[in-house]
Amino acid sequence: MPRGQPPLSLPALIYEPKVRGIIFQVLLLAALVVAAWSLASNVAVNLQRQNIASGFGFLDRTAGFEISQQLIDFKPTDNYGRAFVVGLLNTLLVAGLGIVFATILGFTVGVARLSSNWIVSRLALAFVEVVRNMPPLLTLFLVYFAAIKTLPGPRQSIELPLSSFLNVRGLYMPKPQWLDGSSTIVVAFIAGIIASMLLARWARQRQVATGQQVPIFWPSLGLVLGLPLLAFMIAGQPVAFEYPALKGFNFSGGMVVQPEFIALLFGLTVYTAAFIAEIVRAGISGVPKGQKEAAAALGLSAGQSMRLVVLPQAMRIVIPPLTNQFLNLTKNSSLAVAIGYPDLVSVFAGTVLNNTNQAIECILITMGVYLVLSIVTSIGMNMFNARMALVER
Amino acid sequence: MDAGIRNRRIAITTAALLAVAAGPAMAQTKTLDTVKARGTLNCGVNTGLAGFSMPDDKGQWTGLDVDLCRAVAAAVFKDATKVKYVPLTAKERFTALQSGEVDMLSRNTTWTMSRDTSAGLSFVGVNYFDGQGFMVKKSLGLKSAKELDGATICVQTGTTTELNVTDFFRANKLNYKPVVFEKLDETVAAYNSGRCDAFTSDHSQLYSERLKSPKPDDNVVLPDVISKEPLGPAVRQGDSGWGNVVRWAHFAMVNAEELGVTSKTVDEMQASANPEIRRLLGKEGDFGKGMGLDNDWAYQIVKQVGNYGEAFDRNVGAGSRLNIARGQNALWTKGGLQYGMPIR
Ligand SMILES: N[C@@H](CCC(=O)N[C@@H](CS)C(=O)NCC(=O)O)C(=O)O
């Protein structure tokens, strides 16, 4: 209510836009609550009438099944709740890495699309057109079955450096065993990261103040890798390795990256990168040409002008549709069960649902998870977007 | 656009679930009346399992499970062809039945307690007694499933198979690694390309998949039977009238075999003096009426579909490529478990 006016009477209050807005919001909310409540109670009544088990009590019942990939320990004697977490972590792992790789690949291809080198730009175009026009499920089948049909069996494994082996069952690598004193290595690693961040900040301030550039890439790399190495030596090499060895049907020991995971990650990365590439190309094309010319006039190299002048401005066009692609990648990761990767949908909306017959609960929880993941991604990207927008002069 | 087939599927499943669960408490409609009014039976079958339910090269569905759908249609409509077959994967089947998309399931489905008591279904019979086993590459030279310690095993989700396999390894203190797929085709393809050491499923399905594989002779089905898999038809819980129709369609076929009534002899048998045959074929008593059908219900089944022995033989037994022995599925009079409750 604007200041200085006399207080309004009740009928007039209803015509006050702000008040009216609030009234409508409250009414809408009330309607939603009533609808949700009647839906829920109807579901409960009908489930009982049809004699379908309901409730969330099943979450702490014994699961009784194995999961092929587990980021936290999982045994058949653990409960469904823990199985849920294992599936969720598998989803987060593949979606998180997928987003990182798809972004890197997408930006590379997007920039290559605009390259003045004819072959490079045509190759990028071909990549985009082929990948973008294939259904993601088909891409996954193609990658997965191509992989497992060509890789040799465990007994004919391909030997790789560092005592690693590749076969149809996956990539087997030595597994580090963290012995006493190994925590210093982690501490040193974190210290290295912080130190290199401080270094970068100092270098930037110095450049702003004096115009002098300090090289930061190699010193940072030295800090991030060198400090842990130093700690490793000083602490008396507290890391041992467990090597994979052929035993019975298969390799045991060490760590293994399954073909399902590699195929899913690869398929999602490639598929999403094709879309990101187009977004990036559109973003770059949206930056006025004069910016590039001005950068050239200032004596920046082509690479510098792209990195320091064009891309930061293109980002403002790129981020909103990029967010969509991140969400798509996360949702597409639920195609996992088609190629045998134990993601959330496979483990929880699949095996657990099958065990418990509690379809409504399992599907609702699964949908809730995707909703939360999407909202979190969107919020993160909006914050990033706000930061990029501030760069405007 | 690329929200993914899966998300659409989840959406459909959810919609179906909500339709089941959130709809205003519907009056208990009688499935039999619905089916009669519609003029066709919607029967949920397998997507393609040789011997049980599979479309042939002319697109006609055939198989032991399909024959039960046909028997029910023959009893209700006097016409075994009035069936709409709805192919369902392991994961989809119960939702399809609960939501009313199909009137009955006849899809190599194991009768288990939790499915019978907490999934809104009622099992009404067993048309094939089966058990779970393993198929492995012959070159491994295995003799028993107990030698599978440390093996990688391909399984299809949504099945009892997926659950039993853990029990087996836990009970025998062995380790294994499951690779779980949604569809049968991918499960088998992964096994065939060496991703897994073994493929596990009901024995009947192992035989069927072995025949389909590129080199059947390279694969062997291990003799171990690790579970009881009584496969049978199911209907929605709470409609016992409809359950009766499906249950007795199956018993009619078994009783016809026991009484020596076949699709070829059923017409002359109508003149039989044997009271059991007379009751089966509706010459005496009002047995059809009691279910809301005509009294020639079982005559129509035997005439159009045949008795249980004929169906077994033609689809999975000696007269088929699968060539499975009657074994547990022989009549009780021949040492098997198939036993038709008396019609009287
Ligand atoms: N009898 C078991 C297994 C039935 C089953 O679905 N078997 C799989 C093979 S393991 C199948 O027939 N899949 C065909 C499909 O889903 O299309 C059960 O009722 O859970």
Side-chain angles (χ1 to χ4, degrees):
Chain A
M1 229 188 298
R3 229 185 301 158
Q5 274 176 16
L8 293 169
S9 63
L10 193 67
L13 210 58
I14 295 178
Y15 290 102
E16 170 77 2
K18 215 162 151 192
V19 176
R20 198 156 60 158
I22 293 175
I23 292 177
F24 277 124
Q25 304 248 16
V26 169
L27 284 181
L28 187 66
L29 191 71
L32 275 176
V33 168
V34 170
W37 183 78
S38 74
L39 198 73
S41 63
N42 240 339
V43 168
V45 168
N46 278 337
L47 284 181
Q48 198 167 25
R49 190 177 51 71
Q50 297 190 351
N51 219 332
I52 300 176
S54 57
F56 291 92
F58 69 97
L59 284 173
D60 52 40
R61 290 212 299 266
T62 305
F65 57 85
E66 294 267 4
I67 303 176
S68 61
Q69 177 184 302
Q70 27 186 280
L71 298 182
I72 54 171
D73 248 2
F74 183 82
K75 299 178 299 306
T77 44
D78 287 326
N79 61 23
Y80 291 128
R82 196 168 173 91
F84 166 80
V85 176
V86 172
L88 176 62
L89 289 176
N90 286 345
T91 289
L92 290 179
L93 179 71
V94 80
L97 287 178
I99 285 176
V100 172
F101 290 141
T103 309
I104 296 172
L105 183 62
F107 270 76
T108 313
V109 175
V111 172
R113 277 280 266 124
L114 296 169
S115 165
S116 51
N117 182 327
W118 189 82
I119 297 185
V120 170
S121 76
R122 287 294 113 163
L123 274 181
L125 175 70
F127 170 82
V128 168
E129 288 308 327
V130 169
V131 173
R132 199 167 60 145
N133 289 306
M134 256 193 331
L137 186 60
L138 227 72
T139 315
L140 290 182
F141 280 146
L142 204 76
V143 174
Y144 180 60
F145 284 106
I148 64 172
K149 285 209 161 94
T150 40
L151 288 171
R155 267 153 242 273
Q156 292 84 37
S157 297
I158 304 169
E159 272 201 66
L160 301 173
L162 301 171
S163 311
S164 299
F165 300 90
L166 181 66
N167 62 42
V168 66
R169 305 290 162 78
L171 174 63
Y172 290 80
M173 292 173 296
K175 181 180 179 181
Q177 308 278 56
W178 306 103
L179 309 176
D180 277 352
S182 55
S183 54
T184 47
I185 303 178
V186 181
V187 173
F189 180 66
I190 295 172
I193 292 180
I194 294 175
S196 58
M197 270 157 60
L198 290 176
L199 178 71
R201 210 164 108 195
W202 173 78
R204 204 167 41 242
Q205 281 166 355
R206 193 181 141 100
Q207 187 180 355
V208 170
T210 67
Q212 282 175 336
Q213 285 187 344
V214 192
I216 54 165
F217 181 75
W218 293 111
S220 306
L221 199 69
L223 281 172
V224 173
L225 294 182
L227 282 183
L229 200 68
L230 205 67
F232 174 71
M233 290 310 191
I234 292 174
Q237 313 190 355
V239 179
F241 285 94
E242 180 193 288
Y243 294 97
L246 193 59
K247 207 179 103 197
F249 289 99
N250 211 340
F251 279 89
S252 60
M255 10 179 232
V256 57
V257 188
Q258 293 179 27
E260 290 78 28
F261 173 73
I262 301 174
L264 184 64
L265 182 59
F266 185 84
L268 290 176
T269 299
V270 165
Y271 182 74
T272 313
F275 288 90
I276 294 181
E278 282 301 275
I279 292 169
V280 168
R281 182 180 68 101
I284 294 175
S285 309
V287 176
K289 233 170 139 187
Q291 295 287 323
K292 220 159 119 190
E293 289 165 0
L298 286 173
L300 296 188
S301 72
Q304 281 173 325
S305 124
M306 179 58 88
R307 223 176 51 236
L308 301 171
V309 178
V310 180
L311 274 184
Q313 298 183 68
M315 282 314 274
R316 290 175 215 153
I317 310 174
V318 167
I319 291 173
L322 190 63
T323 312
N324 274 339
Q325 292 309 320
F326 290 177
L327 299 182
N328 279 344
L329 188 145
T330 309
K331 287 185 280 181
N332 282 337
S333 75
S334 64
L335 292 167
V337 63
I339 57 166
Y341 177 73
D343 78 325
L344 180 69
V345 171
S346 166
V347 171
F348 198 68
T351 307
V352 172
L353 191 160
N354 177 29
N355 267 283
T356 59
N357 293 319
Q358 295 196 244
I360 304 237
E361 290 84 350
C362 290
I363 299 280
L364 279 184
I365 293 179
T366 308
M367 291 202 320
V369 166
Y370 282 94
L371 188 67
V372 169
L373 289 183
S374 294
I375 291 175
V376 169
T377 313
S378 298
I379 291 178
M381 290 301 279
N382 283 345
M383 278 158 60
F384 184 48
N385 198 16
R387 263 191 60 188
M388 293 311 281
L390 275 183
V391 181
E392 191 146 24
R393 280 169 228 265
Chain B
M1 171 193 71
D2 44 8
I5 297 165
R6 151 129 352 246
N7 300 301
R8 202 150 59 232
R9 266 277 288 295
I10 291 192
I12 292 172
T13 316
T14 317
L17 283 172
L18 288 178
V20 192
M26 6 169 189
Q28 286 280 33
T29 44
K30 296 238 180 297
T31 310
L32 180 57
D33 296 337
T34 318
V35 171
K36 278 181 176 165
R38 191 192 306 124
T40 48
L41 169 74
N42 293 341
C43 200
V45 294
N46 200 300
T47 56
L49 181 62
F52 288 83
S53 39
M54 188 142 108
D56 65 13
D57 40 18
K58 290 183 225 63
Q60 297 283 346
W61 284 87
T62 58
L64 191 66
D65 284 342
V66 164
D67 277 349
L68 193 57
C69 306
R70 295 175 61 228
V72 172
V76 175
F77 302 118
K78 303 186 200 296
D79 184 349
T81 63
K82 290 200 168 157
V83 185
K84 190 181 139 213
Y85 296 98
V86 182
L88 300 169
T89 67
K91 205 173 157 178
E92 294 160 353
R93 57 186 155 173
F94 300 123
T95 316
L97 182 61
Q98 288 157 355
S99 65
E101 188 186 343
V102 295
D103 304 311
M104 61 179 279
L105 266 189
S106 183
R107 190 210 164 280
N108 56 312
T109 296
T110 306
W111 183 346
T112 69
M113 181 159 176
S114 67
R115 287 174 179 175
D116 208 19
T117 57
S118 62
L121 324 169
S122 281
F123 284 84
V124 293
V126 177
N127 67 337
Y128 191 97
F129 288 94
D130 209 337
Q132 186 175 333
F134 297 90
M135 178 160 79
V136 295
K137 292 266 148 47
K138 201 180 221 159
S139 57
L140 289 176
L142 298 184
K143 292 279 169 298
S144 151
K146 301 241 167 72
E147 298 166 5
L148 283 171
D149 194 15
T152 306
I153 299 188
C154 284
V155 217
Q156 189 185 0
T157 188
T159 57
T160 48
T161 315
E162 184 184 17
L163 315 178
N164 297 330
V165 68
T166 328
D167 279 3
F168 173 77
F169 282 89
R170 259 170 86 189
N172 289 290
K173 300 208 168 47
L174 306 173
N175 290 314
Y176 80 107
K177 204 165 190 194
V179 188
V180 181
F181 295 87
E182 174 159 29
K183 299 237 166 84
L184 185 58
D185 284 350
E186 279 82 63
T187 321
V188 176
Y191 163 75
N192 282 332
S193 51
R195 174 64 182 95
C196 300
D197 299 299
F199 163 57
T200 181
S201 179
D202 300 344
H203 269 263
S204 62
Q205 289 151 51
L206 294 179
Y207 298 137
S208 158
E209 287 309 323
R210 182 171 164 267
L211 276 188
K212 264 202 263 170
S213 76
K215 287 198 195 119
D217 289 335
D218 287 359
N219 300 295
V220 286
V221 174
L222 296 176
D224 312 60
V225 178
I226 69 163
S227 70
K228 293 188 283 187
E229 305 290 328
L231 310 181
V235 297
R236 274 182 295 282
Q237 196 164 32
D239 190 351
S240 50
W242 175 244
N244 285 341
V245 173
V246 179
R247 174 185 299 116
W248 286 94
H250 168 62
F251 285 155
M253 291 174 77
V254 178
N255 282 326
E257 182 183 10
E258 193 181 330
L259 295 168
V261 184
T262 69
S263 54
K264 305 214 176 47
T265 62
V266 67
D267 281 321
E268 57 189 84
M269 288 287 199
Q270 282 192 296
S272 164
N274 180 337
E276 281 189 78
I277 295 181
R278 292 183 64 76
R279 284 196 293 271
L280 174 73
L281 300 182
K283 294 290 149 197
E284 271 174 27
D286 260 345
F287 296 99
K289 294 255 159 60
M291 298 189 289
L293 303 175
D294 286 345
N295 283 336
D296 68 346
W297 64 282
Y299 165 81
Q300 297 293 351
I301 293 176
V302 181
K303 175 80 186 161
Q304 299 186 37
V305 184
N307 66 31
Y308 181 77
E310 289 178 279
F312 190 98
D313 227 54
R314 162 174 81 224
N315 294 308
V316 296
S320 74
R321 269 192 357 125
L322 283 167
N323 201 4
I324 302 176
R326 276 299 283 270
Q328 293 178 316
N329 291 295
L331 292 181
W332 66 287
T333 48
K334 307 228 172 87
L337 295 171
Q338 286 295 349
Y339 187 108
M341 303 305 146
I343 297 182
R344 74 164 319 133

